[in-house]
Amino acid sequence: MIDRLISPAFADIVLVFILIEAVVIVAIARAKGQPLTDALLVLAAGGFLFAALRASLAGAAREWIAFALTGALIAHAVWIVRWIGRRG
């Protein structure tokens, strides 16, 4: 059982759910005319983190893991800057 959770396939399943969640959020935001930047930034950060996990579990090169972690950092940092700007 634990072997299934520590496999790239598990990360792939989570990434599919993140993608489905993003599609649903975009559809709802468009229907209501709401901005969706913040939600997509948070989903991007999570997606990049799971991509890094998947790369690590699959034995990918360190550069790919670093790339995914950098993407998560950038998405999260942009979200934080936007959040601080609103609180201003």
Side-chain angles (χ1 to χ4, degrees):
M1 174 66 181
I2 196 75
D3 292 341
R4 291 183 189 159
L5 294 177
I6 306 175
S7 72
F10 176 72
D12 289 340
I13 292 168
V14 173
L15 285 168
V16 167
F17 280 111
I18 290 173
L19 181 61
I20 292 168
E21 185 179 11
V23 169
V24 170
I25 287 173
V26 167
I28 291 171
R30 283 190 177 169
K32 292 185 175 187
Q34 297 175 341
L36 49 98
T37 307
D38 289 339
L40 291 181
L41 284 170
V42 171
L43 286 172
F48 276 119
L49 286 174
F50 268 93
L53 173 66
R54 195 232 182 270
S56 176
L57 292 174
R62 289 181 286 182
E63 293 81 11
W64 287 109
I65 298 167
F67 173 76
L69 290 174
T70 302
L73 174 69
I74 291 169
H76 192 63
V78 169
W79 179 82
I80 288 173
V81 167
R82 289 174 52 85
W83 180 70
I84 290 172
R86 281 194 304 269
R87 296 187 78 213

